Amino acid sequence: MQDRILIIDFGSQFTQLIARRIREAGVYSEIVPFQLAEKALDWEGLKGIILSGGPASVHEGGSPRAPERVFTRGVPVLGICYGEQAMAAQLGGLAEGHDLVHQAVVLEHRGRGPDPPQPGPVEPGLPGRRLQRVGH
């Protein structure tokens, strides 16, 4: 069984670059469009999921979302740009604009959805709220 990283593509122009960098690190990765992601969650050897960026906004009606099972599969999930906003919106957090030169995303656990992540080996002091700058 081969270890895999699933990249759920929301239309980012950088998705191929993300996959290439993961492969250069010696880890197999595969890109799947968000519309087909549900089936990919059944892969054996799945060690992590990346939600890519994309041109949509979580504030638009009908904007793409990750399958809910992404967050209950039991593997780490990394959201990049739109993927981070979608994850925040789906887990009961908040994604809002900020008056900075670059767009900013405020992620906050508001008592809805799963508990906020507990500190772990990747980021020992992970807070329940953080300001994340995202610029393009």
Side-chain angles (χ1 to χ4, degrees):
M1 169 174 50
Q2 184 177 28
D3 290 349
R4 299 179 180 198
I5 298 292
L6 169 62
I7 302 170
I8 299 178
D9 184 20
F10 289 110
S12 170
Q13 58 188 344
F14 299 106
T15 302
Q16 294 292 331
L17 176 62
I18 294 165
R20 187 178 88 208
R21 294 291 188 214
I22 293 169
R23 291 174 189 145
E24 286 173 354
V27 178
Y28 178 79
S29 65
E30 192 164 332
I31 299 168
V32 175
F34 72 91
Q35 302 94 325
L36 304 176
E38 182 69 40
K39 185 174 182 179
L41 293 171
D42 293 328
W43 289 347
E44 289 188 31
L46 187 61
K47 298 297 183 187
I49 300 168
I50 297 175
L51 305 177
S52 82
S57 168
V58 294
H59 303 293
E60 298 171 356
S63 60
R65 296 291 195 259
E68 289 298 322
R69 203 157 54 105
V70 163
F71 309 111
T72 61
R73 179 68 166 75
V75 298
V77 180
L78 170 66
I80 299 175
C81 193
Y82 176 80
E84 184 177 26
Q85 293 178 31
M87 182 166 44
Q90 287 181 252
L91 295 176
L94 177 65
E96 63 184 18
H98 198 276
D99 292 334
L100 297 174
V101 174
H102 295 289
Q103 174 188 8
V105 180
V106 178
L107 300 181
E108 180 178 6
H109 178 74
R110 299 225 172 186
R112 298 182 301 266
D115 291 334
Q118 298 300 311
V122 175
E123 178 129 10
L126 188 67
R129 178 183 172 104
R130 65 191 170 109
L131 179 64
Q132 176 67 48
R133 286 184 174 227
V134 184
H136 312 261

